[in-house]
Amino acid sequence: MKGVKKLRVAIIGAGVSGLACAHELERHGVKPDIYEQRPRSGDLVEHVGVLLQVMNRPVKDQIEEIKESCHISIKPLNLVNKVTMYAPRASGSICGKLGYLIKRGQGVDAVENQLFSLVKTPVRYNFRADCAALARKYDYVIVASGTYDITKILGCWEDVYKTWLMGATVLGSFETDEIKMWLNTEYAKSGYAYLTPFNHESASLILVVSNANRKNIVDYWKKFWQIENFTFKISSLWDWEHVSGFVYPHQVGNILFAGNAGGFMEPVLGFALFDAIRSGVYAARSIVEGGKYEDYLARLKENIWASIKLRKVLNRFTNKDYDHLIAILTAPGIKQFVYNTNLDIIKHLAGIL
Ligand SMILES: Cc1cc2nc3c(=O)[nH]c(=O)nc-3n(C[C@H](O)[C@H](O)[C@H](O)COP(=O)(O)OP(=O)(O)OC[C@H]3O[C@@H](n4cnc5c(N)ncnc54)[C@H](O)[C@@H]3O)c2cc1C
């Protein structure tokens, strides 16, 4: 095997997993070529992402854990100290140190730009990479494209949870450390909706509808606003397809899949940010250390399996079930058990439900 520093590595996508991978390769003296189809890094839409501690047990603090294990420091927008949940006939709140809010988009404080500032290699923008051509030219290709396109062509992708998102930046009055979540089959089917604040005056409001498409998402969005009686002003509006998939294997020849392209978007609430970072870093490590990529991914794959099982149960939920779920999750004794311990609730919830 040639010296690690001489390895030729191409990364498709300068998003979260691609930049995390580039940072780890650089730490080991490898200078990758990074290809990005857009004119710059960062999600096209500005929004506020969430990291909930309950989704990543037994990790207590994801920001600390990523700093220690991946050598990447992320500055959050805010803490999440309160989650309020609404079903048609039940609602309730949970308080505590529940997680973080993370800025996404093109701004300097967006997580993509925070990662970008850690990477020394210049990104080749406006370049739509062809995976097969790169695989012939380079020792390794990391597919960090954020979608299933390339993974599907190589026969490694199976759809798990297909959703269409409609989102907006809304203006009103918000608590900066509170997120809100709605569960209602009338407008979200087996999806959900959530509100995350940028600051006291503006927030992202996102509706996630299962098995919807660009044609009917507007009708669900209208229904959502009518039923929940919102009076916010909208400053920008967008829609987006979001698909979680099961991926195997995660490496085909010299091509490795990371982030969403590697199936690392959990299908319960669509969280993917920190597993995108982790999988990008593990792809780099498996290349420079010569280990099997699948072995590095063991814990991430276990978590995804637990989420897939839970998603299958949630897909059968009616509004009555959501009422019960919220009543149970916010009942005083259960609240203490679920949120103030470090129990891996996601692993066990499918069985309990
Ligand atoms: C609206 C929305 C809200 C979300 N909210 C959350 C949240 O709250 N919490 C959470 O954890 N996750 C959230 N996610 C999940 C999100 O997908 C991940 O956080 C993360 O961005 C995935 O990282 P990635 O590297 O796989 O893909 P991305 O960050 O999307 O990066 C992929 C990059 O590859 C580029 N690319 C694609 N194909 C090519 C090509 N052929 N050639 C060159 N470049 C290419 C793209 O332009 C893009 O820049 C959300 C996603 C969306 C869309």
Side-chain angles (χ1 to χ4, degrees), residues 201-345:
E201 290 85 35
S202 63
S204 347
L205 180 65
I206 298 180
L207 172 65
V208 181
V209 186
S210 60
N211 295 317
N213 56 46
R214 177 161 272 156
K215 282 193 196 121
N216 57 23
I217 189 71
V218 177
D219 297 330
Y220 289 113
W221 178 257
K222 280 186 190 152
K223 225 180 199 177
F224 173 41
W225 277 64
Q226 270 163 12
I227 291 176
E228 302 305 340
N229 238 330
F230 293 137
T231 54
F232 305 125
K233 275 194 176 145
I234 293 182
S235 82
S236 65
L237 190 65
W238 49 266
D239 67 279
W240 201 293
E241 189 189 25
H242 223 197
V243 186
S244 300
F246 173 75
V247 172
Y248 192 81
H250 291 87
Q251 177 168 3
V252 176
N254 60 346
I255 303 169
L256 287 75
F257 309 111
N260 288 0
F264 296 110
M265 177 159 66
E266 60 79 14
V268 173
L269 294 174
F271 290 156
L273 182 60
F274 273 17
D275 279 356
I277 294 180
R278 291 184 184 105
S279 57
V281 168
Y282 297 160
R285 279 185 197 158
S286 88
I287 289 173
V288 295
E289 291 168 3
K292 268 178 84 180
Y293 184 39
E294 289 302 338
D295 295 344
Y296 291 77
L297 298 172
R299 191 173 70 79
L300 304 193
K301 289 194 291 188
E302 215 179 283
N303 289 348
I304 291 286
W305 261 116
S307 307
I308 291 176
K309 267 205 259 172
L310 181 54
R311 172 42 60 201
K312 283 187 180 159
V313 175
L314 293 175
N315 282 350
R316 296 197 297 267
F317 262 42
T318 61
N319 274 346
K320 253 191 182 166
D321 296 323
Y322 285 139
D323 289 335
H324 289 312
L325 180 68
I326 287 184
I328 291 168
L329 289 179
T330 57
I334 306 270
K335 232 185 328 199
Q336 178 71 11
F337 181 64
V338 173
Y339 299 98
N340 295 337
T341 65
N342 211 23
L343 181 80
D344 188 350
I345 189 77

Side-chain angles (χ1 to χ4, degrees), residues 11-16 18-19 33-44 106 116 122-131 134 142-150 240-241 260-261:
I11 299 176
I12 302 181
V16 176
L19 292 170
D33 287 338
I34 311 169
Y35 297 96
E36 170 55 55
Q37 64 186 0
R38 294 180 191 149
R40 55 175 301 183
S41 298
D43 267 9
L44 292 174
Q106 309 265 320
F116 180 72
V123 175
R124 299 187 188 186
Y125 287 114
N126 299 310
F127 192 112
R128 185 167 169 77
D130 173 345
C131 183
L134 293 183
I142 312 296
V143 177
S145 56
T147 64
Y148 49 78
D149 305 9
I150 299 170
W240 201 293
E241 189 189 25
N260 288 0

